[in-house]
Amino acid sequence: MTQRIFVPRDASAVSVGAERVCRTIENEARNRGLDVEIVRNGSRGLYWLEPLIEIELDGQRIAYGPVNPEDVLGLFEAGWLQGGAHALCHGPSEEIPYLKRQTRLTFARMGVTDPLSLEDYRAHGGLKGLERALDMKAEDIVDAIDTGGLRGRGGAGFPTGIKWRTVMNAGGGQKYIVCNADEGDSGTFSDRMLMEGDPFCLIEGMIIAGLAVGADTGYIYLRSEYPDAWDVLEDAIVTATREGILGANVLGSGRRFELNLFKGAGAYVCGEETSLLESIEGKRGLVRAKPPLPALQGLFGRPTVVNNVITLGSVPWILAHGGEAYKAHGSGRSRGTLPFQLAGNLKQPGLVEVAFGMTLRELLYDFGGGSASGRPIRAVQVGGPLGAYLPESRFDLPLDYEAFAAVGATVGHGGIVAFDDSVDMAKMARYAMEFCAIESCGKCTPCRIGSVRGVELLDSMLAARPQHSNDDTLLRDLCQTMLEGSLCAMGGMTPYPVLSALDHYPEDFGLSPKQEEAST
Amino acid sequence: MSSTNQADLLPALHRLQEKFGYIPDHAIAELAKAHNMAQAEVVGVIGFYHDFRRTPPGRQRLRICRAESCQAMGADALALHASTQLGVEFGATTADGEVTLEAAYCLGNCACSPAVMLDDELHGRVSAERLDAMLAEGRGV
Ligand SMILES: Cc1cc2nc3c(=O)[nH]c(=O)nc-3n(C[C@H](O)[C@H](O)[C@H](O)COP(=O)(O)O)c2cc1C
Ligand code: SF4
Ligand code: FES
C-alpha cells in the first residue's frame, strides 16, 4: 500500500527549507523503490519544529522535525517509514503537548489536510456549516453568530452579529462581503496560515456571510507580501467555482456568490477598513470619516460587511456546531477561541488556538517555552505595532478583550511578541513613532505631524540619555494629542507602545533623577 | 455592478510593475485615460503605495523585515550587515544594478524570525552567513 508522507507547503515552513526537504525525500524514496505519496499539507503551527515532516503509519501520523535535507538519508536509514527510532522523532503528532493542549476549532484542519483537496475538506467537516446555512433564514444565521458571541478578530473586537444585522437590515440591492486579509500587524500570521492551509474554510465563511446579509459578491483584500496565499486562494476559488460552491448556484441552492481576489500594494493603513475600501476603489488609501458606517455605505457606496480572515474563518464552525457550542469556550465577554501567534524571542514560536482566558504567562512559558536566547523575558508586545508593551508584572493577565482594555492594552489580532532583557525600550518607543510616520495616511495632523515630532523627540532623548537629564513631559503631551485627536487607531494607538514603554521601563529613557523617581 | 473604471487601477498598476519592474512615465497618460482619471490623480495613487515605484529597480529585490518580532531576533544587526555588504542604504539599488535593498514591516514569518524576502521567495531564521550565501547565489557566483 502506498504510504503517505506529509510535507508542509506553508510559506513559513518553506522559508526554512521544506521545499528542499520535499525534493530530497522524493529522490531518496525513488532511489529506494519505495511506494510513497507526498502530501503537501498546511503547517501544524509548531514552527520551531519546521520543517515538520509526518509519516503516516497504521492510521497515525508520526512527527519528525526540524528536518533538514541533510537529515533525510539518516531518517530513511533509521527506518522512519516503519516507525524506527530517531533523534528528530516526536511521536504521534496529535500527542505533542503543544498541539494536544490546544482547542482547535477554527484551525481544526490546519496541517491535517491537503489545503487544495475539496475531498479532504469535506471529509474533515468542511461545508457542513454552509449546508446548514442554506437551510436557514437569514435572521437565524445572524442569530447563531450572535449566540456564539463572535467578535471581530482583526483587532477591534466588534461583535460580528451586530455588524451583520446592520448590513442585513440595510435594504435591498447590491451588498458586499469584504474580507480583510491585509494582516499588517507584526507578530501575526494566522490569516496567512488559514489562507494557505485551509482556504476553503475562508471561502465557506464568506458565502455564509453573504447568505446572512444578502450579498452575492465578495472581495478578499490580500496584502502583496503573501504571494503564496494568493496562489492557493486563486486555485481554491477555481476549484470551488468548478464544484458549484461558488458561482450562480451555490451547492444547487439557486443562490449566487462570486468571489474576487484583490491585491494590496504595501500600505499598512489599508488594513483599516475604510482605507481598504478606498484602495479597492482604486484610490489613495485615505481613511474615511465615520459615519457613514461601511455597513451602510461601504464599497462603492453600498452596504458592506468588512471582516477579518479569522472572523470569517470561524463562521463555518459556528454554523456547523451551533452558537452555544462556540460560546461554551472563553471567558467573560470574550467567547470562543483565538488562534494566538507566539513570536519574537521564544523557544517555541507558533500558532496556539485556545479559548480566551488563558494567561500570558501560560502562553509564553507553557507553550512558548520561555525565551529562545535563554535570557529573561523583559517585555511582551501584544496586539501588533499599536499594542502596548507589558512587563513581567502583567504576565498573569488573562487574555480577554476587557481585561486587556482595563490596563490600556489590546489583544488585537492575537500576536504576542517576546523580547529578552537585551531590548532597549526607548528604541522600541522610537520605532513605534517611526512606523506611524512611515505608514500614516496623512489625513489628520496629530498622526501625520505628531509621529514625525515623536521620532525627533525620541532621537534627542536617546542622544541625551547618558546625562540622565531627560524630561518626558513633551513626549507625554504629544502622545495625549495623538490619542485624542486622531481619526483612526493608527495615530490613536501609536501612543500605546510609547507610553507603556515609558511607564514600565523609565530606566531606559535617561530621565532626570527627579522624573525617574516620580515614575517608579 | 456599480464599480467605476478607477476600480481597476490597482490591478493595472500591479500588472505594469510585474512587466517592467516599475511604472514607466509613459504609462501614466494611458492609465489616466483608461481609468477616467486625471494624470495627477494617477500619480497620487502610485505615490501612496509603498509597492509601486517610478524608477527601475535592481535585478533582485531584497526585503528585510524590520518589524518587532524580527527585531527581537536580531533583525537590526542583519539589516546593518546587508546594507554594509551591499554598500547601499535602504531604499537604494547597488551601483551594479544587481540588488535593491528595501525594508519590510512584517512578512508573516514571525515564528521564523528574522525573515527576509528575495524577490518573491521568503526566507526564515536568516543569519548573516545565510544572507551572504543567498546573495551570492543570486549573483550566480
Ligand atoms: C491602522 C489599522 C490597521 C488595521 N489593519 C488590519 C488588518 O491588517 N487586518 C484586519 O483584519 N483588520 C485591521 N484593522 C481593523 C479594521 O479596521 C477592521 O476593524 C476590521 O477589518 C473589521 O473586521 P473584524 O470585525 O472581523 O475584526 C486595522 C485597523 C487600523 C486602524
Ligand atoms: S490617524 Fe493617521 S492613519 Fe488614521 S486617518 Fe489620521 S492620519 Fe490617517
Ligand atoms: S515581524 Fe518580521 S516577519 Fe513578522
Side-chain angles (χ1 to χ4, degrees), chain B residues 62-139:
Chain B
L62 176 66
R63 280 182 283 180
I64 300 194
C65 178
R66 311 212 55 180
E68 287 90 340
S69 173
C70 290
Q71 286 186 46
M73 292 302 280
D76 284 355
L78 189 67
L80 184 64
H81 176 83
S83 155
T84 315
Q85 278 307 98
L86 294 170
V88 286
E89 298 291 314
F90 275 81
T93 303
T94 52
D96 60 4
E98 276 293 316
V99 183
T100 300
L101 178 63
E102 293 174 11
Y105 296 94
C106 194
L107 297 165
N109 201 17
C110 331
C112 297
S113 294
V116 314
M117 215 167 190
L118 189 57
D119 293 327
D120 261 0
E121 202 166 288
L122 184 63
H123 298 265
R125 298 181 202 137
V126 179
S127 61
E129 296 72 41
R130 265 220 37 228
L131 188 66
D132 291 344
M134 274 161 49
L135 287 170
E137 202 178 309
R139 280 171 198 257

Side-chain angles (χ1 to χ4, degrees), chain A residues 259-512:
Chain A
L259 189 49
N260 307 289
L261 261 180
F262 193 96
K263 196 186 289 182
Y268 175 76
V269 75
C270 285
E272 195 283 334
E273 57 186 5
T274 61
S275 164
L276 183 154
L277 297 175
E278 291 285 300
S279 187
I280 298 182
E281 293 179 11
K283 303 175 190 155
R284 296 162 64 87
L286 290 187
V287 171
R288 296 177 185 169
K290 290 186 225 174
L293 290 174
L296 298 174
Q297 288 175 47
L299 188 61
F300 306 119
R302 302 299 309 165
T304 303
V305 168
V306 184
N307 271 141
N308 172 256
V309 174
I310 301 299
T311 313
L312 291 162
S314 303
V315 165
W317 195 96
I318 297 175
L319 265 292
H321 299 85
E324 291 292 345
Y326 192 72
K327 188 180 151 195
H329 302 276
S331 83
R333 291 203 284 125
S334 307
R335 308 314 310 174
T337 59
L338 189 67
F340 289 99
Q341 299 124 88
L342 300 186
N345 199 327
L346 288 176
K347 206 171 279 159
Q348 303 181 158
L351 191 289
V352 180
E353 181 177 359
V354 287
F356 286 97
M358 188 170 274
T359 66
L360 205 45
R361 193 181 301 279
E362 288 173 272
L363 279 171
L364 291 169
Y365 293 95
D366 296 354
F367 284 94
S371 75
S373 60
R375 303 168 65 117
I377 297 178
R378 182 168 183 237
V380 176
Q381 188 178 33
V382 182
L386 309 177
Y389 284 103
L390 302 171
E392 156 119 49
S393 61
R394 291 269 155 88
F395 288 1
D396 294 308
L397 214 55
L399 284 144
D400 157 319
Y401 292 116
E402 276 68 39
F404 264 59
V407 299
T410 172
V411 173
H413 186 46
I416 295 179
V417 177
F419 294 80
D420 73 8
D421 63 354
S422 64
V423 67
D424 179 339
M425 294 307 294
K427 284 203 175 142
M428 297 319 295
R430 183 197 182 278
Y431 172 81
M433 285 290 190
E434 186 189 21
F435 183 71
C436 182
I438 296 170
E439 301 296 339
S440 167
C441 87
K443 187 154 176 165
C444 45
T445 321
C447 170
R448 185 184 71 240
I449 308 288
S451 55
V452 176
R453 283 289 294 134
V455 174
E456 291 165 4
L457 258 174
L458 278 156
D459 273 340
S460 62
M461 286 174 81
L462 279 162
R465 202 158 49 166
Q467 282 88 56
H468 286 277
S469 58
N470 277 332
D471 185 320
D472 65 7
T473 313
L474 227 53
L475 184 59
R476 285 183 183 278
D477 282 352
L478 177 66
C479 284
Q480 208 52 41
T481 307
M482 291 174 72
L483 277 167
E484 288 163 6
S486 301
L487 183 60
C488 83
M490 180 84 233
M493 282 174 68
T494 291
Y496 280 37
V498 178
L499 290 174
S500 57
L502 259 177
D503 287 342
H504 300 302
Y505 311 92
E507 65 275 21
D508 285 17
F509 288 80
L511 301 177
S512 66

Side-chain angles (χ1 to χ4, degrees), chain B residues 17-40:
Chain B
Q17 181 139 323
E18 215 156 277
K19 192 160 162 202
F20 297 107
Y22 69 111
I23 312 292
D25 282 343
H26 66 75
I28 306 284
E30 257 169 71
L31 282 166
K33 203 163 150 232
H35 297 93
N36 241 338
M37 299 166 71
Q39 291 195 32

Side-chain angles (χ1 to χ4, degrees), chain A residues 12 47 186 224 264 266 283-284, chain B residues 14 44 49-51 68 109 125:
Chain A
S12 233
Y47 279 111
S186 48
S224 61
K283 303 175 190 155
R284 296 162 64 87
Chain B
H14 275 302
Y49 296 95
H50 299 305
D51 275 1
E68 287 90 340
N109 201 17
R125 298 181 202 137

